[in-house]
Amino acid sequence: MKHKRLATVILAMILAAQTSAAAASPPKIGVCIYNAADTFMSSVVRQIQKEGEGSAELTVMDSANDQNLQFTQVLDMLDDGVQALIINPVDRTSAVYLIRLAQSRNVPLVLINREPSADDLALYDGAYYVGTDPKETGYLCGELVADWFAAHPEADLNGDGVIQYVLLKGEPGHQDAELRTLYSLQAITDAGFRTQMLGEDTALWERSVGQEKMAGFLATWGNRIECVISNNDDMALGAIDALKAAGWFTGGRYMPVVGVDATEPALEALRQGSLLGTVLNDAINQGRAAWKLAWLLYKREPVTSENLGYAMDANHRVYIPSQKITLDNVDTP
Ligand code: GAL
């Protein structure tokens, strides 16, 4: 009898210890980055980690540009009991499967940077998106070019009243590549300039590919190129590498090159006078908004623009605003 009572007391103590351990252990939140080698996205993920530190057990996975690997990673994290997910899809057209998967486990999902279609996002009440408006970033990028040519008529090297450009595109099918391209050209046209495309090619967001593609454009078009439009900074810096190797940016030879992101190396190039301008792709606020969303969703709180602190549209999308960055405001906090 005595032994039985003792056993009950011990069992009660064990259960109490387990319960308090469970209460004290932080929630598990899973994060996937499409490719950890990507300059801009790594800074977004760094910000998410910073925000989550101390409140959650964050697992961060590099999907290494492989959508199948990412599905496996997400499955593993779900099996491991994550309570919310923040995913940067490898392929935005596969977001629908990620959404269905999270829904099947009743785990909220914040997609970042690679935007699912509105229809896909609407499939699951617990699915949200954080990114930028590609039309806005594209348009601002085009304005950088238009502003330059308006202030520098001599930049029209052959004086034909037409801007001869080459364009480095992000990966095909990515909303930021397709729409930034369209809208940057739209802004130049809206400012009253005519344009002629000499060359356009994808450089997959990468500096080394940008350099290679720009070297190719230079070999074909040389001095006929009057400006370089790039969908992001890494490819713009690659173009600058190729231009420098071919003798630009010394002895008064200048080429206007514009990008998007405002990464640290790009801001440095801007200060040094090679990059003409860039558009802020706000990694800090994108990381912060993604984290805040995941946190509210984990707590099963209804999300509004007010408690999130960021404007959210009726389709569960949060677009962080952008702005042009040039020498005039690069060091303005
Ligand atoms: C874009 C960004 C690129 C690259 C890409 C990845 O928004 O401008 O530099 O990070 O996302 O999806």
Side-chain angles (χ1 to χ4, degrees), residues 34 38 40-41 113-114 174 176 180 205 232 261 281:
Y34 90 96
D38 184 292
F40 168 71
M41 277 317 297
N113 172 258
R114 289 163 170 217
H174 191 309
D176 285 342
R180 278 180 197 167
W205 307 118
N232 83 341
D261 282 343
N281 199 359

PDB file of all heavy atoms in Angstrom, residues 34 38 40-41 113-114 174 176 180 205 232 261 281, ligand 1:
ATOM      1  N   TYR A  34      15.676  29.537 -50.526  1.00  0.00           N
ATOM      2  CA  TYR A  34      15.752  28.783 -51.783  1.00  0.00           C
ATOM      3  C   TYR A  34      17.203  28.448 -52.133  1.00  0.00           C
ATOM      4  O   TYR A  34      17.485  27.401 -52.702  1.00  0.00           O
ATOM      5  CB  TYR A  34      15.066  29.562 -52.923  1.00  0.00           C
ATOM      6  CG  TYR A  34      15.954  30.506 -53.705  1.00  0.00           C
ATOM      7  CD1 TYR A  34      16.539  30.108 -54.906  1.00  0.00           C
ATOM      8  CD2 TYR A  34      16.235  31.784 -53.235  1.00  0.00           C
ATOM      9  CE1 TYR A  34      17.367  30.962 -55.621  1.00  0.00           C
ATOM     10  CE2 TYR A  34      17.055  32.640 -53.940  1.00  0.00           C
ATOM     11  CZ  TYR A  34      17.619  32.226 -55.136  1.00  0.00           C
ATOM     12  OH  TYR A  34      18.454  33.065 -55.826  1.00  0.00           O
ATOM     13  N   ASP A  38      22.475  33.124 -52.289  1.00  0.00           N
ATOM     14  CA  ASP A  38      21.864  34.354 -52.801  1.00  0.00           C
ATOM     15  C   ASP A  38      22.099  35.501 -51.806  1.00  0.00           C
ATOM     16  O   ASP A  38      21.714  35.418 -50.638  1.00  0.00           O
ATOM     17  CB  ASP A  38      20.360  34.115 -52.998  1.00  0.00           C
ATOM     18  CG  ASP A  38      19.658  35.314 -53.614  1.00  0.00           C
ATOM     19  OD1 ASP A  38      19.548  36.374 -52.948  1.00  0.00           O
ATOM     20  OD2 ASP A  38      19.207  35.196 -54.757  1.00  0.00           O
ATOM     21  N   PHE A  40      20.926  38.683 -51.502  1.00  0.00           N
ATOM     22  CA  PHE A  40      19.789  39.400 -50.915  1.00  0.00           C
ATOM     23  C   PHE A  40      19.001  38.505 -49.968  1.00  0.00           C
ATOM     24  O   PHE A  40      18.704  38.879 -48.829  1.00  0.00           O
ATOM     25  CB  PHE A  40      18.882  39.963 -52.025  1.00  0.00           C
ATOM     26  CG  PHE A  40      17.576  40.443 -51.491  1.00  0.00           C
ATOM     27  CD1 PHE A  40      17.515  41.598 -50.726  1.00  0.00           C
ATOM     28  CD2 PHE A  40      16.409  39.727 -51.693  1.00  0.00           C
ATOM     29  CE1 PHE A  40      16.316  42.033 -50.184  1.00  0.00           C
ATOM     30  CE2 PHE A  40      15.203  40.151 -51.155  1.00  0.00           C
ATOM     31  CZ  PHE A  40      15.162  41.308 -50.410  1.00  0.00           C
ATOM     32  N   MET A  41      18.661  37.293 -50.422  1.00  0.00           N
ATOM     33  CA  MET A  41      17.827  36.437 -49.582  1.00  0.00           C
ATOM     34  C   MET A  41      18.522  36.011 -48.292  1.00  0.00           C
ATOM     35  O   MET A  41      17.884  35.811 -47.272  1.00  0.00           O
ATOM     36  CB  MET A  41      17.335  35.217 -50.369  1.00  0.00           C
ATOM     37  CG  MET A  41      16.115  35.480 -51.222  1.00  0.00           C
ATOM     38  SD  MET A  41      14.827  36.471 -50.401  1.00  0.00           S
ATOM     39  CE  MET A  41      14.352  35.429 -49.029  1.00  0.00           C
ATOM     40  N   ASN A 113       9.324  36.217 -50.810  1.00  0.00           N
ATOM     41  CA  ASN A 113      10.153  36.538 -51.972  1.00  0.00           C
ATOM     42  C   ASN A 113       9.721  35.978 -53.328  1.00  0.00           C
ATOM     43  O   ASN A 113       9.835  36.637 -54.339  1.00  0.00           O
ATOM     44  CB  ASN A 113      11.622  36.154 -51.649  1.00  0.00           C
ATOM     45  CG  ASN A 113      12.548  36.263 -52.831  1.00  0.00           C
ATOM     46  OD1 ASN A 113      12.903  35.261 -53.439  1.00  0.00           O
ATOM     47  ND2 ASN A 113      12.931  37.473 -53.180  1.00  0.00           N
ATOM     48  N   ARG A 114       9.236  34.761 -53.367  1.00  0.00           N
ATOM     49  CA  ARG A 114       8.770  34.190 -54.640  1.00  0.00           C
ATOM     50  C   ARG A 114       7.264  34.027 -54.513  1.00  0.00           C
ATOM     51  O   ARG A 114       6.782  33.151 -53.797  1.00  0.00           O
ATOM     52  CB  ARG A 114       9.509  32.890 -54.926  1.00  0.00           C
ATOM     53  CG  ARG A 114      10.939  33.229 -55.278  1.00  0.00           C
ATOM     54  CD  ARG A 114      11.899  32.125 -55.217  1.00  0.00           C
ATOM     55  NE  ARG A 114      13.143  32.607 -55.813  1.00  0.00           N
ATOM     56  CZ  ARG A 114      13.939  31.882 -56.550  1.00  0.00           C
ATOM     57  NH1 ARG A 114      13.653  30.632 -56.796  1.00  0.00           N
ATOM     58  NH2 ARG A 114      15.036  32.397 -57.045  1.00  0.00           N
ATOM     59  N   HIS A 174      10.288  34.246 -62.732  1.00  0.00           N
ATOM     60  CA  HIS A 174      10.231  34.883 -61.407  1.00  0.00           C
ATOM     61  C   HIS A 174       9.530  36.222 -61.573  1.00  0.00           C
ATOM     62  O   HIS A 174       9.861  36.985 -62.466  1.00  0.00           O
ATOM     63  CB  HIS A 174      11.672  35.083 -60.924  1.00  0.00           C
ATOM     64  CG  HIS A 174      11.802  35.478 -59.480  1.00  0.00           C
ATOM     65  ND1 HIS A 174      11.101  36.515 -58.922  1.00  0.00           N
ATOM     66  CD2 HIS A 174      12.576  34.973 -58.481  1.00  0.00           C
ATOM     67  CE1 HIS A 174      11.441  36.641 -57.643  1.00  0.00           C
ATOM     68  NE2 HIS A 174      12.330  35.694 -57.359  1.00  0.00           N
ATOM     69  N   ASP A 176       9.795  38.901 -60.024  1.00  0.00           N
ATOM     70  CA  ASP A 176      10.705  40.040 -59.929  1.00  0.00           C
ATOM     71  C   ASP A 176      11.531  40.208 -61.210  1.00  0.00           C
ATOM     72  O   ASP A 176      12.029  41.300 -61.485  1.00  0.00           O
ATOM     73  CB  ASP A 176      11.650  39.884 -58.726  1.00  0.00           C
ATOM     74  CG  ASP A 176      10.935  40.163 -57.408  1.00  0.00           C
ATOM     75  OD1 ASP A 176       9.860  40.788 -57.437  1.00  0.00           O
ATOM     76  OD2 ASP A 176      11.458  39.743 -56.360  1.00  0.00           O
ATOM     77  N   ARG A 180       9.829  43.387 -63.218  1.00  0.00           N
ATOM     78  CA  ARG A 180      10.824  44.466 -63.124  1.00  0.00           C
ATOM     79  C   ARG A 180      11.277  44.865 -64.518  1.00  0.00           C
ATOM     80  O   ARG A 180      11.494  46.044 -64.813  1.00  0.00           O
ATOM     81  CB  ARG A 180      12.040  44.017 -62.305  1.00  0.00           C
ATOM     82  CG  ARG A 180      11.827  44.132 -60.828  1.00  0.00           C
ATOM     83  CD  ARG A 180      13.058  43.686 -60.063  1.00  0.00           C
ATOM     84  NE  ARG A 180      12.710  43.435 -58.680  1.00  0.00           N
ATOM     85  CZ  ARG A 180      13.476  42.819 -57.809  1.00  0.00           C
ATOM     86  NH1 ARG A 180      14.680  42.386 -58.177  1.00  0.00           N
ATOM     87  NH2 ARG A 180      13.080  42.635 -56.573  1.00  0.00           N
ATOM     88  N   TRP A 205      20.274  36.032 -61.464  1.00  0.00           N
ATOM     89  CA  TRP A 205      20.528  36.811 -60.242  1.00  0.00           C
ATOM     90  C   TRP A 205      21.992  36.809 -59.837  1.00  0.00           C
ATOM     91  O   TRP A 205      22.349  37.369 -58.802  1.00  0.00           O
ATOM     92  CB  TRP A 205      19.695  36.309 -59.044  1.00  0.00           C
ATOM     93  CG  TRP A 205      18.233  36.197 -59.219  1.00  0.00           C
ATOM     94  CD1 TRP A 205      17.498  35.056 -59.134  1.00  0.00           C
ATOM     95  CD2 TRP A 205      17.288  37.250 -59.471  1.00  0.00           C
ATOM     96  NE1 TRP A 205      16.151  35.334 -59.323  1.00  0.00           N
ATOM     97  CE2 TRP A 205      16.003  36.668 -59.539  1.00  0.00           C
ATOM     98  CE3 TRP A 205      17.406  38.636 -59.664  1.00  0.00           C
ATOM     99  CZ2 TRP A 205      14.849  37.402 -59.782  1.00  0.00           C
ATOM    100  CZ3 TRP A 205      16.252  39.362 -59.900  1.00  0.00           C
ATOM    101  CH2 TRP A 205      14.993  38.748 -59.951  1.00  0.00           C
ATOM    102  N   ASN A 232      18.791  42.926 -60.681  1.00  0.00           N
ATOM    103  CA  ASN A 232      19.264  42.986 -59.284  1.00  0.00           C
ATOM    104  C   ASN A 232      20.710  43.496 -59.240  1.00  0.00           C
ATOM    105  O   ASN A 232      21.366  43.678 -60.284  1.00  0.00           O
ATOM    106  CB  ASN A 232      19.107  41.644 -58.549  1.00  0.00           C
ATOM    107  CG  ASN A 232      20.235  40.660 -58.788  1.00  0.00           C
ATOM    108  OD1 ASN A 232      20.986  40.773 -59.759  1.00  0.00           O
ATOM    109  ND2 ASN A 232      20.357  39.675 -57.924  1.00  0.00           N
ATOM    110  N   ASP A 261      18.017  46.102 -55.133  1.00  0.00           N
ATOM    111  CA  ASP A 261      18.280  45.408 -53.863  1.00  0.00           C
ATOM    112  C   ASP A 261      18.898  46.330 -52.817  1.00  0.00           C
ATOM    113  O   ASP A 261      18.543  46.265 -51.663  1.00  0.00           O
ATOM    114  CB  ASP A 261      19.202  44.165 -53.984  1.00  0.00           C
ATOM    115  CG  ASP A 261      18.494  42.932 -54.519  1.00  0.00           C
ATOM    116  OD1 ASP A 261      17.258  42.912 -54.510  1.00  0.00           O
ATOM    117  OD2 ASP A 261      19.180  41.996 -54.979  1.00  0.00           O
ATOM    118  N   ASN A 281      15.451  47.007 -51.830  1.00  0.00           N
ATOM    119  CA  ASN A 281      14.663  45.808 -51.586  1.00  0.00           C
ATOM    120  C   ASN A 281      14.906  45.576 -50.100  1.00  0.00           C
ATOM    121  O   ASN A 281      15.979  45.114 -49.703  1.00  0.00           O
ATOM    122  CB  ASN A 281      15.217  44.660 -52.452  1.00  0.00           C
ATOM    123  CG  ASN A 281      14.228  43.528 -52.635  1.00  0.00           C
ATOM    124  OD1 ASN A 281      13.121  43.546 -52.118  1.00  0.00           O
ATOM    125  ND2 ASN A 281      14.646  42.509 -53.371  1.00  0.00           N
TER     126      ASN A 281
HETATM  127  C1  GAL B   1      14.808  39.204 -55.776  1.00  0.00           C
HETATM  128  C2  GAL B   1      16.144  39.878 -55.525  1.00  0.00           C
HETATM  129  C3  GAL B   1      17.244  39.056 -56.145  1.00  0.00           C
HETATM  130  C4  GAL B   1      17.169  37.623 -55.668  1.00  0.00           C
HETATM  131  C5  GAL B   1      15.790  37.054 -55.909  1.00  0.00           C
HETATM  132  C6  GAL B   1      15.685  35.652 -55.362  1.00  0.00           C
HETATM  133  O1  GAL B   1      13.798  39.918 -55.118  1.00  0.00           O
HETATM  134  O2  GAL B   1      16.138  41.154 -56.097  1.00  0.00           O
HETATM  135  O3  GAL B   1      18.497  39.607 -55.823  1.00  0.00           O
HETATM  136  O4  GAL B   1      17.455  37.608 -54.302  1.00  0.00           O
HETATM  137  O5  GAL B   1      14.814  37.881 -55.294  1.00  0.00           O
HETATM  138  O6  GAL B   1      14.419  35.126 -55.527  1.00  0.00           O
END
